[in-house]
Amino acid sequence: MPVFFRTVGTLGGPSFFLERGGRGLRAVPLSLTVAVVERPAGLCVIDTGWSRAQCAFPHDDPGTLHAAFLGMRVKPEDALASQLLSCGFDPGDVRDVIATHSHRDHVDGVVDFPKATVHVTDTELRVPRPAVSKALTRAGKLAVHALQGPAALGFLRTHDVFGDGSVLLLDAAGHTPGSAAVAVALDEGWMIHAGDAAMFARDYRDDEALPPSPYMRVMGWDMARQREGFARLRAAERDHNARVVTSHDRAGFDALPHTKEEGWTLRGEKKKRRKG
């Protein structure tokens, strides 16, 4: 069973605003990267991106001004629910949605998966903010988790989502109060979907050499906490052979597997195949 990645349309903005050390108005394309994890109990997706309705009518929702500010470019077929159909799945196969955080571009698509349990950290919902997705808070099956588990992968506070060590929520607060990175156990190390804990790989890899971007200063909840998270992501790569995936790094997305046939193998799957 694999984990693979899709982007729900694209976003974008000027280099001087988005990139650390960026200059000028050069347009920077951004992915909106979601992970699809095929599990025995059904699909688990990490973030959803926009909904079907938003991909079809973005000028209605999130609205013309909001879409323009985000540099939002979507087509009806970009919605994750529609993409899953093209990958051989049904949206009803999605049994779990894990939200890295509550911003609308990451979780408004939960409305397309009414059978799914939506997992989020308790802190993310406890601290009121206008940017919290209403779709997230109105999800029919909402599982709210306190990060009280032991340290793992260099992160101090964790939660074992399914109780079997296969998927962990990692405390990545900083961009928002309850941001979580999501670790998935692979046959070779770990995959960590960092959400917006870092926008680009160079944000956390070259943190000490680069000043914060205007985006980080304007959109971040706690810059000091976010930079602590950068150090933990570096340590996860260095010490735990983790493959870190960020939500908006287009170059990083292009290098990921995009289909289940290409996907990274989950822990234990190779051993099952050999026995079979």
Side-chain angles (χ1 to χ4, degrees), residues 18 20 23 47 63 135 141 144 146-147 181 183 188 206 213 226 247 250 255 259:
L18 296 176
R20 302 183 70 173
R23 296 180 180 179
D47 286 350
K141 302 176 183 177
V144 182
L147 301 185
E188 299 178 358
D206 302 330
S213 67
Q226 188 163 16
S247 290
R250 181 69 206 206
T259 67

Side-chain angles (χ1 to χ4, degrees), residues 6-170:
R6 310 293 288 192
T7 181
V8 182
T10 61
L11 305 172
S15 173
F16 81 88
F17 182 67
L18 296 176
E19 295 184 308
R20 302 183 70 173
R23 296 180 180 179
L25 297 176
R26 177 180 60 85
V28 178
L30 306 175
S31 63
L32 213 174
T33 303
V34 303
V36 180
V37 184
E38 190 176 6
R39 293 171 45 82
L43 296 184
C44 170
V45 300
I46 303 171
D47 286 350
T48 64
W50 306 107
S51 70
R52 277 175 161 167
Q54 289 168 319
C55 288
F57 305 106
H59 296 300
D60 292 337
D61 183 19
T64 302
L65 292 179
H66 194 170
F69 173 75
L70 295 173
M72 180 179 173
R73 294 181 181 273
V74 291
K75 304 182 296 296
E77 60 267 29
D78 287 334
L80 180 59
S82 299
Q83 293 193 54
L84 288 176
L85 289 170
S86 70
C87 293
F89 298 106
D90 186 275
D93 296 333
V94 176
R95 297 299 178 179
D96 296 277
V97 173
I98 303 178
T100 61
H101 63 295
S102 59
H103 286 166
R104 297 189 63 190
D105 57 317
H106 290 258
V107 292
D108 269 11
V110 297
V111 299
D112 295 331
F113 306 106
K115 294 182 180 180
T117 298
V118 181
H119 303 265
V120 65
T121 68
D122 58 347
T123 307
E124 188 67 355
L125 295 185
R126 189 170 63 240
V127 179
R129 302 178 321 285
V132 171
S133 167
K134 293 180 180 178
L136 176 63
T137 59
R138 294 172 180 169
K141 302 176 183 177
L142 191 63
V144 182
H145 303 295
L147 301 185
Q148 298 178 338
L153 302 175
F155 290 79
L156 301 181
R157 299 168 60 240
T158 68
H159 175 74
D160 186 343
V161 177
F162 300 112
D164 59 3
S166 64
V167 179
L168 305 177
L169 291 177
L170 311 173

Side-chain angles (χ1 to χ4, degrees), residues 187 269-276:
D187 251 329
E269 287 301 310
K270 287 184 179 179
K271 185 181 293 186
K272 291 179 184 177
R273 291 174 188 171
R274 287 196 294 269
K275 288 183 177 179

Side-chain angles (χ1 to χ4, degrees), residues 101 103 123-124 126-130 157 171-179 196-197 215-228:
H101 63 295
H103 286 166
T123 307
E124 188 67 355
R126 189 170 63 240
V127 179
R129 302 178 321 285
R157 299 168 60 240
D171 180 12
H175 179 65
T176 66
S179 286
D196 281 1
Y215 173 86
M216 291 167 63
R217 294 185 183 278
V218 171
M219 299 299 294
W221 170 72
D222 187 323
M223 191 70 250
R225 290 281 299 276
Q226 188 163 16
R227 296 187 72 174
E228 290 174 6

